[in-house]
């Protein structure tokens, strides 16, 4: 059949000072805060995983890792993404993933290449594009006290 499927993922988390480890795209970013979440709060991997699941018609990560589940508590988002990749493994190939992270802080531009490289390794594809946008101080796509991420995945049936 060799059809293409497109999926959209979105995630948003507010800042937390409980932990001092911001994780984005599978890597630690120096920051005086983390993102509040049941898992490690990696909103890039959450949005990407949801976009892949959506493209495959397999729901979203909350279906497999419900927030109230003990299994979800402090889970590494790389493990979530690996689970998602296993779910689609025999049926789909990731053709492309396009990501926009929306955040005023920290300044992420200097980490863009490293995050992209990390995502390519995790997703086992070179077709990953990352864009970093500021909210320009506006209360859009999250709040002034957090960040958000949108991702689109294009899958091709094997």
């Amino acid at each position: 059949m060799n059809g293409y499927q497109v999926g959209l993922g979105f995630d948003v988390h507010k800042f937390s000072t409980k932990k001092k480890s911001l994780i984005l795209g599978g890597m630690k970013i120096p920051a005086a805060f983390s993102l509040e979440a049941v898992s490690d709060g990696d909103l890039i991997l959450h949005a990407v995983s949801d976009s892949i699941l959506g493209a495959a018609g397999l729901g979203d990560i909350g279906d497999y890792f419900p927030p109230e589940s003990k299994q979800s508590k402090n889970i590494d988002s790389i493990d979530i993404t690996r689970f998602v990749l296993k779910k689609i493994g025999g049926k789909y190939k990731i053709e492309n993933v396009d990501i926009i992270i929306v955040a005023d802080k920290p300044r992420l531009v200097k980490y863009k290449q490293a995050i992209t490289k990390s995502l390519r390794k995790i997703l086992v594809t070179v077709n990953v594009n990352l864009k970093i946008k500021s909210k320009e101080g506006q209360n859009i796509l999250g709040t002034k006290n957090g960040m958000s991420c949108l991702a689109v995945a294009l899958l091709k049936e094997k």
Side-chain angles (χ1 to χ4, degrees):
M1 196 160 146
N2 288 344
Y4 289 91
Q5 307 284 10
V6 176
L8 176 65
F10 174 77
D11 201 22
V12 62
H13 290 289
K14 64 183 176 177
F15 297 129
S16 171
T17 54
K18 291 178 188 170
K19 294 187 276 182
K20 303 272 194 273
S21 59
L22 179 62
I23 301 171
L24 296 173
M27 55 177 290
K28 288 186 180 181
I29 305 294
F33 55 85
S34 61
L35 293 174
E36 193 170 299
V38 174
S39 69
D40 63 8
D42 189 333
L43 58 78
I44 293 177
L45 285 179
H46 297 172
V48 167
S49 294
D50 272 348
S51 71
I52 293 167
L53 286 170
L58 296 172
D60 63 53
I61 58 175
D63 295 334
Y64 304 97
F65 302 94
E68 62 278 356
S69 164
K70 287 182 183 179
Q71 159 193 6
S72 303
K73 184 104 172 119
N74 297 318
I75 190 169
D76 186 323
S77 295
I78 293 174
D79 292 337
I80 292 171
T81 304
R82 286 186 180 137
F83 171 86
V84 168
L85 295 176
K86 218 178 237 189
K87 292 282 291 175
I88 66 150
K91 191 167 182 185
Y92 296 99
K93 176 184 181 266
I94 298 173
E95 288 290 311
N96 187 56
V97 178
D98 193 34
I99 304 155
I100 299 173
I101 186 161
V102 183
D104 285 337
K105 66 178 186 179
R107 298 277 301 152
L108 295 172
V109 70
K110 62 184 170 186
Y111 303 106
K112 183 177 177 177
Q113 287 183 342
I115 294 170
T116 301
K117 184 177 179 179
S118 175
L119 288 166
R120 287 176 177 158
K121 184 177 177 184
I122 294 164
L123 297 172
V124 195
T125 182
V126 296
N127 299 321
V128 175
N129 186 58
L130 175 65
K131 298 175 288 264
I132 299 168
K133 301 294 180 185
S134 167
K135 295 178 290 183
E136 303 294 332
Q138 300 299 305
N139 191 15
I140 56 172
L141 292 177
T143 71
K144 292 190 292 187
N145 300 317
M147 58 179 64
S148 59
C149 184
L150 296 127
V152 176
L154 176 64
L155 305 183
K156 183 178 182 184
E157 288 183 71
K158 290 184 178 179

